[in-house]
Amino acid sequence: LPPPAKKPLSLCAPSEDGVASARPPALKAGEDETRYIVIDSAERLCSMDAALLPVLLRIAQLSARNVCTILVSSAARQTFEPFLTARPALRLHFPPYSRIAIARILAHDASSNPARAEEYTEIAKVALNVFWGQCRALPELRQVAWQLCEAADHDPAVSSAAREKDSVKLFRALRPALRQASSSSSSSGPSA
């Protein structure tokens, strides 16, 4: 007799059978380490298949493994209350990034090109100084900083001012790119 055919797993319709069949092979002695599933923008799960969120929250029980599900969301806790039946959720509050933290992140992003890291760091400082009052969302500030860095790639005056660390000269050289970035960021709507 041929072996019974396995049911294919569907990513669109998760089920307890799918989780059980996706279970990894048995762990060896002493390999009981915790695995983490981190889901960013978790509020989007509420609009997906009704079984998805409950399965993700019960995955440790369903898979018989030490798995912790972490939902990262800006939505109110009440959004997830109907799904939190097994045990109470632990709520952690992460404060928004400070100006200093964002400056460090943008400087770290600039270090991806070591030859021009100092130049890009200076440009990122200008971007932060200009846009901090309007926008504090990291993804948008990153985008603006990289737009300005691209302008520096095409304009020797910007590169020169950034290398000299002359913020006034750099600001003047970046003025057209700043206007363009400002108009594109204001047309996308308010943020943070």
Side-chain angles (χ1 to χ4, degrees), residues 138-152:
L138 180 60
E140 290 163 8
L141 289 169
R142 273 183 166 153
Q143 180 182 358
V144 167
W146 280 110
Q147 284 176 351
L148 296 177
C149 289
E150 284 180 17

Side-chain angles (χ1 to χ4, degrees), residues 25-106:
L27 295 173
K28 297 175 186 158
E31 288 187 351
D32 192 25
E33 65 184 48
T34 303
R35 308 286 174 158
Y36 297 91
I37 299 173
V38 181
I39 302 169
D40 195 9
S41 301
E43 60 274 4
R44 294 182 301 164
L45 293 174
C46 296
S47 63
M48 294 182 175
D49 187 300
L52 182 60
L53 189 55
V55 167
L56 285 170
L57 293 172
R58 293 182 52 222
I59 200 154
Q61 179 185 11
L62 297 171
S63 66
R65 298 285 185 242
N66 192 8
V67 180
C68 177
T69 304
I70 300 172
L71 304 177
V72 179
S73 174
S74 59
R77 182 181 175 153
Q78 291 77 14
T79 306
F80 302 101
E81 291 280 332
F83 305 104
L84 302 173
T85 57
R87 56 180 117 164
L90 177 62
R91 181 176 182 217
L92 300 174
H93 172 73
F94 295 98
Y97 287 120
S98 68
R99 184 182 179 128
I100 293 169
I102 288 181
R104 286 183 184 147
I105 291 168
L106 294 176

Side-chain angles (χ1 to χ4, degrees), residues 116-131:
R116 302 189 67 190
E118 283 186 41
E119 185 178 328
Y120 287 174
T121 300
E122 291 301 313
I123 292 169
K125 285 179 187 176
V126 169
L128 190 58
N129 288 336
V130 171
F131 291 100

Side-chain angles (χ1 to χ4, degrees), residues 130-189:
V130 171
F131 291 100
W132 180 254
Q134 299 171 19
C135 171
R136 295 182 184 199
L138 180 60
E140 290 163 8
L141 289 169
R142 273 183 166 153
Q143 180 182 358
V144 167
W146 280 110
Q147 284 176 351
L148 296 177
C149 289
E150 284 180 17
D153 291 340
H154 302 294
D155 188 350
V158 173
S159 296
S160 163
R163 271 186 259 116
E164 294 171 11
K165 296 187 178 184
D166 183 348
S167 58
V168 173
K169 192 174 175 182
L170 180 59
F171 178 79
R172 286 184 185 141
L174 283 171
R175 194 173 284 160
L178 287 166
R179 280 191 196 114
Q180 182 181 2
S182 180
S183 65
S184 67
S185 68
S186 65
S187 66
S188 65

